[in-house]
């Protein structure tokens, strides 16, 4: 009877040690995965920032190039007024 109880205790201790070993192994794998992938996300953020800045610069350049044309079109519309009665106006 004592031998059976002792074997059960030994089996529980051995199972607990195996569980701790597996936990440590999985934790190490997770830390390695996080370390590898966190660098990639930082690189991706930098790449996205660069692309965003280049797109903003393109938009600013296009606005600067078209600014004079837009002003001329607005001034032309304001200065050249065509007077004609509205379609709903009764004469």
């Amino acid at each position: 009877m004592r031998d059976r109880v002792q074997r059960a205790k030994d089996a529980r201790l051995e199972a607990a040690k195996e569980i701790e070993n597996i936990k440590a192994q999985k934790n190490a794998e997770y830390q390695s995965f996080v370390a590898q992938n966190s660098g990639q996300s930082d690189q991706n953020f930098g790449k996205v920032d660069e692309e965003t800045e280049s797109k903003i610069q393109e938009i600013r350049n296009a606005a600067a190039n078209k600014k004079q044309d837009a002003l001329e079109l607005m001034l032309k519309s304001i200065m050249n007024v065509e007077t004609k009665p509205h379609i709903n106006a009764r004469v």
Side-chain angles (χ1 to χ4, degrees):
M1 187 74 142
R2 287 184 185 165
D3 191 35
R4 201 180 316 165
V5 172
Q6 186 62 37
R7 280 189 283 162
K9 285 182 183 180
D10 291 342
R12 270 190 244 127
L13 287 174
E14 188 175 330
K17 286 179 185 178
E18 283 185 41
I19 290 171
E20 288 300 317
N21 289 339
I22 292 171
K23 280 184 183 179
Q25 179 185 359
K26 292 296 180 184
N27 191 24
E29 289 174 9
Y30 174 73
Q31 294 298 333
S32 173
F33 176 79
V34 168
Q36 288 175 355
N37 291 325
S38 67
Q40 290 176 355
S41 66
D42 291 343
Q43 291 172 353
N44 290 340
F45 284 134
K47 192 175 189 180
V48 167
D49 287 341
E50 289 175 10
E51 290 175 2
T52 302
E53 287 300 321
S54 69
K55 292 290 184 181
I56 289 172
Q57 192 59 41
E58 287 178 24
I59 292 169
R60 286 183 179 151
N61 291 339
N65 291 340
K66 298 292 182 179
K67 183 177 182 179
Q68 189 61 36
D69 293 339
L71 286 174
E72 289 175 8
L73 184 62
M74 285 193 314
L75 286 174
K76 181 179 174 185
S77 297
I78 292 170
M79 302 293 257
N80 298 332
V81 178
E82 293 181 21
T83 57
K84 62 180 182 181
H86 190 270
I87 59 171
N88 291 335
R90 296 182 187 198
V91 181

